[in-house]
Amino acid sequence: MSTLAHPTMTAARSADSVGAGELDRFSYADRPTPPAPRWEGAEADLSRVGRKTTSSRGRGLHGQLVQQLGQMIVSGDLGADRPLVPEEIGQRFEVSRTVVRESLRVLEAKGLVSARPNVGTRVRPVGDWNLLDPDIIEWRAFGPQRDEQRRELFELRWAIEPLAARLAAGHGREDVQQRLVELTEVMNHTAAQGDLVSFGRADAELHALVLQLAGNRMLEHLSGIVACALQVSGGAATTCERPSDSSVSLHSRLVDALGTGDGTAAEAAVRALLTVHPEIEPSVPGPREH
């Protein structure tokens, strides 16, 4: 009995032809991947906030297979301990053995699968996944776990960003501070134009730069995660707020505080940004029943 199916095959098969053990339903498999932000000009090096990731984007058949299998695992269509047979994957997705092998290696690096002698390749439980991997964040954000992912991302941001802003105050280079000012100007302009995409990209870069300025390498390592968190949601779920005068004003207040070295004001500005978040209740994370 098959455990995988090529996406183009699914639509052609009738519901009564699908066996109870088959896992070929995946409605969002063809969802387009949000483009990574590109900032042209001399400041481009300041916008590389997603460094050292294992992203599979833009790699032809290899990237498409990683995307498909990764989404199926994260969605639960391929549950924990499910065996993944390379020969079957190659046949179902009509790709070479080399493509399958390299794709499984990428998924193994993300903690989604494990390959062991005499056991083969199997799906790993959620506790083994690298939940800070940008691809996994994206797959969860677009899958059945989207609400849980949104909450977890917001709580992570609440835990790290106010501290990062306090640490970053007064420690930025002049060129970086100038870039932060430019980003607030971009946000002001795009908010007035109602340009959600450009506003979100500027927002993501600004927050990632704050983490990079904190002088803490572990916080800096999370800058790409925060940028990804802001991008994958399309703006409303995990960004500070939809484009508005109040959001732009708070970002400007944050940048001013960073420039003057006022750590208390910088921390307060970030907390205000994260609190002004009408789509997440409660706004300030509190204890949850388990």
Side-chain angles (χ1 to χ4, degrees), residues 68-268:
Q68 179 75 12
L69 292 176
Q71 287 177 320
M72 293 177 74
I73 293 170
V74 169
S75 72
D77 279 353
L78 291 176
D81 208 35
R82 169 76 62 176
L84 299 178
V85 182
E87 292 78 9
E88 182 182 329
I89 294 173
Q91 292 174 1
R92 293 294 180 179
F93 292 95
E94 300 178 0
V95 294
S96 69
R97 183 177 304 176
T98 299
V99 170
V100 174
R101 182 171 60 249
E102 293 303 317
S103 298
L104 291 177
R105 285 179 180 174
V106 171
L107 295 175
E108 186 173 17
K110 297 175 184 294
L112 294 177
V113 304
S114 62
R116 290 179 292 177
N118 302 321
V119 176
T121 302
R122 291 181 176 271
V123 176
R124 300 173 70 175
V126 177
D128 293 340
W129 300 355
N130 178 9
L131 294 177
L132 296 182
D133 181 280
D135 280 339
I136 294 180
I137 289 175
E138 178 181 304
W139 296 334
R140 294 183 74 205
F142 289 137
Q145 301 177 29
R146 53 186 171 271
D147 291 338
E148 181 179 1
Q149 177 70 101
R150 179 175 70 168
R151 173 183 58 76
E152 291 176 351
L153 286 171
F154 176 65
E155 291 174 352
L156 176 65
R157 295 187 61 204
W158 181 268
I160 66 174
E161 288 196 66
L163 172 62
R166 175 180 284 275
L167 294 175
H171 293 290
R173 304 192 315 266
E174 182 178 345
D175 57 339
V176 179
Q177 183 64 28
Q178 178 58 38
R179 180 57 177 166
L180 291 170
V181 172
E182 292 173 356
L183 288 170
T184 60
E185 294 173 351
V186 170
M187 294 177 72
N188 183 49
H189 175 74
T190 54
Q193 297 295 319
D195 185 347
L196 298 175
V197 174
S198 297
F199 181 93
R201 290 179 179 176
D203 185 23
E205 184 181 345
L206 188 151
H207 283 267
L209 283 175
V210 172
L211 268 73
Q212 292 180 20
L213 291 176
N216 181 306
R217 290 181 180 177
M218 296 186 74
L219 287 175
E220 180 181 353
H221 185 73
L222 295 174
S223 63
I225 309 303
V226 171
C228 179
L230 291 164
Q231 293 165 24
V232 298
S233 65
T238 52
T239 193
C240 295
E241 191 183 11
R242 283 193 175 92
S244 67
D245 291 340
S246 62
S247 179
V248 173
S249 176
L250 286 170
H251 282 88
S252 296
R253 187 189 307 175
L254 167 62
V255 171
D256 290 343
L258 293 174
T260 59
D262 190 339
T264 300
E267 179 179 355

Side-chain angles (χ1 to χ4, degrees), residues 6-14:
H6 192 284
T8 58
M9 298 172 60
T10 304
R13 301 172 62 184
S14 62

